[in-house]
Amino acid sequence: MTGGLALTVTLAVLIGVSLGLLGGGGSILAVPLLVYVADLPAREAIATSLLVVGVTSAVGALPHARAGRVRWRTGLLFGVAGMAGAYAGGRLAAFVPAAVLLAGFALMMLATATAMLRGRRDDARRRRHQLPMPRVLLDGVVVGLVTGLVGAGGGFLVVPALALLGGLPMPVAVGTSLVVIAMKSFAGLAGYLSTVDIDPGLATAVTAAAVVGSLAGGRLAGRVREDVLRRAFGWSVAAMGVFVLAGQLPAHLRTDPLLWALAAATAATAVTVAGVRRRRRRPDRPGPTTARP
């Protein structure tokens, strides 16, 4: 095994851990890994990531299902609608420049990270009912289209949709999203395979490593607090979004210290604002206890 392949397979374990623990982020990690470490062309990397993420998500959903953390009706409806959108997105991707695909991928990640870090406005009154069918189908098609177009398994969109809009507890949103991701990833892959070939040896090795990671992540998911999961998901997506977006900049900008200083200042401001908003949304803490008569 060459050094590049060994590093790719080792880092692929993180893809599985992300999927098993957070219910998303697989393609967010897989696409940059395959492009920048395995040195695959963008479209081949996206197609390979769909295979890796699809298989890994299907396996990773098993421990969540056994623990009762999968909302099957919502997941299957969302998945079926998403498969149609993912197949269409996979076919459309052949007509979009690779740089545009990756830049769009990064911007979508940053928008999603912002939504997850802000959280729901009605955290204290979570709605735990099933999402209405028309809303599930519409969201599924839209998310599926993005899935097929930019090679994202969709967890970075499905988890926020289920947690922020559907009101599902974060662990349930994570488990349900894995079912959706598996369905949409395979549909998106079918769309890509009409124009792209993948390396079966590399795909098998990366998939096997990611499956191992997903089983470990699934075991951890039930032991991590919901707010910690949500913030970890948001920050991991934001970090990878910045990395992918920076990779699309001209070479002279990528090495400009002023640009990175500005980016760091912006990130620090965002963290401060998010912290202030989160404190404002918290209920007032009780003051010092007074002695009872």
Side-chain angles (χ1 to χ4, degrees), residues 22 109-110 112-117 170 228-240:
L22 304 176
M109 286 192 290
L110 293 174
T112 303
T114 301
M116 288 302 288
L117 291 170
M170 187 67 180
V228 174
L229 271 179
R230 178 173 56 79
R231 288 198 299 271
F233 184 96
W235 285 118
S236 63
V237 171
M240 290 307 300

Side-chain angles (χ1 to χ4, degrees), residues 33-256:
L33 174 65
L34 294 169
V35 170
Y36 299 113
V37 179
D39 201 26
L40 294 182
R43 287 192 177 87
E44 186 177 337
I46 289 173
T48 304
S49 78
L50 288 169
L51 174 62
V52 172
V53 171
V55 174
T56 306
S57 299
V59 175
L62 297 178
H64 290 276
R66 285 196 295 267
R69 296 192 297 265
V70 174
R71 193 68 59 86
W72 288 103
R73 175 182 175 272
T74 299
L76 292 175
L77 284 174
F78 207 119
V80 168
M83 289 175 74
Y87 180 79
R91 297 300 298 267
L92 287 174
F95 305 100
V96 181
V100 173
L101 285 176
L102 290 176
F105 184 53
L107 292 173
M108 188 68 70
M109 286 192 290
L110 293 174
T112 303
T114 301
M116 288 302 288
L117 291 170
R118 290 181 61 188
R120 288 190 299 265
R121 294 184 181 276
D122 58 345
D123 276 340
R125 295 172 294 176
R126 290 175 186 163
R127 296 163 292 161
R128 299 184 182 271
H129 53 71
Q130 298 280 4
L131 286 171
M133 185 180 297
R135 178 61 178 272
V136 172
L137 295 176
L138 176 61
D139 287 355
V141 170
V142 173
V143 172
L145 186 66
V146 175
T147 295
L149 190 61
V150 301
F156 77 105
L157 292 175
V158 176
V159 171
L162 296 176
L164 301 180
L165 303 179
L168 297 185
M170 187 67 180
V172 176
V174 167
T176 304
S177 76
L178 290 173
V179 176
V180 178
I181 292 167
M183 297 172 70
K184 293 191 296 81
S185 294
F186 289 131
L189 176 63
Y192 260 90
L193 288 180
S194 61
T195 57
V196 174
D197 292 324
I198 63 176
D199 180 344
L202 175 64
T204 300
V206 173
T207 301
V211 165
V212 172
S214 74
L215 295 175
R219 289 181 177 274
L220 290 172
R223 305 176 185 178
V224 182
R225 289 204 330 260
E226 179 173 343
D227 61 326
V228 174
L229 271 179
R230 178 173 56 79
R231 288 198 299 271
F233 184 96
W235 285 118
S236 63
V237 171
M240 290 307 300
V242 170
F243 177 79
V244 174
L245 191 59
Q248 307 313 305
L249 295 174
H252 69 281
L253 288 179
R254 290 201 298 268
T255 57
D256 187 344

Side-chain angles (χ1 to χ4, degrees), residues 270-286:
V271 171
T272 303
V273 171
V276 169
R277 287 181 175 177
R278 190 161 54 244
R279 285 193 296 272
R280 285 178 178 174
R281 287 202 303 268
R282 288 178 183 169
D284 293 335
R285 294 180 179 178

